[in-house]
Amino acid sequence: MKKNNLYRKWILTYILLIIAAMMVFPIVFTLSNSFMTEKEVSHYYPSENEIPQDSNVHKENFVHLKLIPEQFSFEQYKGFFDKKQSFFEGEQSNMKFYGNSALMVFPIILGQLIVASLAAYVFGKLKFKGRDTLFLVYMITMLMPFQVTLVPNYLIADKLGIINSFEAIIFPGIFGAFGVFMLRQFILTIPYSYIEAAKIDGAGHFSIFIKIILPLIRPGLAALIVLLFADYWNMVEQPLIFLDDLSKFPLSLYLSRITQEARGIGFAASVLYMAPMILLFGFAKKYLIKGIQLSGAKD
């Protein structure tokens, strides 16, 4: 029995290692290719226009992947930061689109942290008639895909006159239901005796929220930041629908244009695009794991 358990453990370990390698490979591949020269990238990943008519390349059904650069170079990164290498009408820095992403994502995260934590406290610790029914209705919106709420969100944004502005993306993001659900699960783990003791000392709901609730749900807030950043940093549909001006596009949309016109710089841009998410996950992974564990708490 012990040998069988040991074999199963080793088999499971190897399977998990293979899965992990498959997940990590695209990141390693993009990083290594970002240090190639543009000439080397064009050689291994030619576009349709660069393939000679008499070549056999188009007859092959696979792509040649190059993992280790023949010549280590920062040429692609220099090209990304060079205004002359901009792939937008006029001379604008590619970093502008990096900034656009930040200007959309950070207000959404900050706003949702405030709104979600307050709403979660109300749903988790305040007792009033119809609370659970209201929370259930609120949670139904979390089950709806973006496409279902797209039309009403667009009509409201149009009435408010914020189409083609960051606000059309920020406001719907701030009032997302997921953060409320997650933080409520954290708040449910806090004993109600803490709140009763604070009330005996004369504390109001605002003091209880600031001095008791927020310090105790910090792991949940950290986990929510990571999840929200991953979701909205990678958003495509929202800016594609609500923004008409290409100069306001986030980097998530602009990457396709870079890749079409200069694949080498596209690799560098992809690395810079992934870097904040990887760094954030590295610093906050323990909070994320704890947050996922505690979010399954029961009433």
Side-chain angles (χ1 to χ4, degrees):
M1 287 294 293
K2 289 185 178 181
K3 284 188 175 181
N4 290 336
N5 291 334
L6 184 61
Y7 289 146
R8 289 174 185 173
K9 183 178 179 181
W10 279 107
I11 291 173
L12 181 60
T13 301
Y14 283 129
I15 292 174
L16 292 176
L17 284 174
I18 292 172
I19 294 174
M22 293 173 63
M23 296 294 181
V24 173
F25 177 77
I27 299 175
V28 175
F29 171 77
T30 303
L31 180 62
S32 64
N33 278 257
S34 69
F35 293 109
M36 290 183 180
T37 62
E38 183 66 33
K39 182 179 179 181
E40 187 177 355
V41 171
S42 299
H43 174 72
Y44 285 102
Y45 315 111
S47 64
E48 290 291 332
N49 297 330
E50 295 173 340
I51 299 176
Q53 294 298 321
D54 58 346
S55 173
N56 292 324
V57 174
H58 67 283
K59 298 179 181 179
E60 299 175 353
N61 296 321
F62 57 89
V63 177
H64 293 287
L65 299 180
K66 179 72 172 178
L67 189 59
I68 301 176
E70 296 176 359
Q71 181 181 348
F72 190 87
S73 172
F74 286 96
E75 176 185 332
Q76 311 305 341
Y77 291 94
K78 292 179 180 177
F80 180 81
F81 291 106
D82 188 357
K83 278 190 176 183
K84 296 180 181 178
Q85 289 276 13
S86 177
F87 305 102
F88 184 78
E89 293 80 359
E91 192 170 302
Q92 297 192 46
S93 171
N94 295 319
M95 286 298 293
K96 172 181 174 60
F97 302 93
Y98 211 110
N100 289 346
S101 295
L103 289 174
M104 295 181 207
V105 173
F106 291 126
I108 290 176
I109 294 176
L110 179 60
Q112 190 163 152
L113 286 176
I114 296 172
V115 172
S117 58
L118 288 169
Y121 172 64
V122 172
F123 284 123
K125 292 303 181 186
L126 300 189
K127 297 178 180 179
F128 55 90
K129 187 176 180 180
R131 182 193 67 174
D132 294 337
T133 303
L134 181 60
F135 180 72
L136 177 62
V137 173
Y138 194 65
M139 286 300 99
I140 290 175
T141 63
M142 188 175 70
L143 303 177
M144 296 180 181
F146 168 75
Q147 291 77 8
V148 173
T149 58
L150 172 61
V151 173
N153 282 342
Y154 188 89
L155 292 176
I156 293 172
D158 187 39
K159 288 291 185 181
L160 294 174
I162 57 175
I163 293 293
N164 195 33
S165 68
F166 294 159
E167 288 82 359
I169 298 171
I170 293 172
F171 289 153
I174 288 176
F175 297 97
F178 173 74
V180 179
F181 168 76
M182 183 175 179
L183 294 181
R184 176 181 176 270
Q185 299 304 98
F186 266 87
I187 291 175
L188 289 176
T189 64
I190 300 174
Y192 196 77
S193 58
Y194 291 4
I195 297 175
E196 291 179 335
K199 286 182 178 179
I200 292 174
D201 289 339
H205 286 298
F206 184 75
S207 297
I208 293 171
F209 176 75
I210 296 296
K211 297 180 180 179
I212 297 177
I213 301 298
L214 283 183
L216 292 176
I217 64 170
R218 280 185 297 180
L221 294 173
L224 183 60
I225 289 174
V226 176
L227 295 174
L228 289 177
F229 188 88
D231 188 17
Y232 289 101
W233 187 255
N234 297 315
M235 62 182 170
V236 173
E237 295 94 343
Q238 295 95 318
L240 196 60
I241 297 298
F242 290 105
L243 299 179
D244 299 325
D245 189 352
L246 296 180
S247 66
K248 295 180 180 180
F249 275 13
L251 190 58
S252 54
L253 286 180
Y254 187 60
L255 273 177
S256 60
R257 171 169 291 201
I258 298 177
T259 305
Q260 288 174 2
E261 301 192 25
R263 286 164 303 287
I265 296 179
F267 281 121
S270 297
V271 172
L272 294 172
Y273 176 72
M274 292 187 296
M277 187 66 256
I278 295 174
L279 291 174
L280 181 61
F281 178 79
F283 284 115
K285 61 181 179 181
K286 64 178 180 180
Y287 297 110
L288 179 61
I289 294 171
K290 187 175 181 180
I292 294 173
Q293 290 173 340
L294 292 180
S295 64
K298 302 292 183 180
D299 285 285

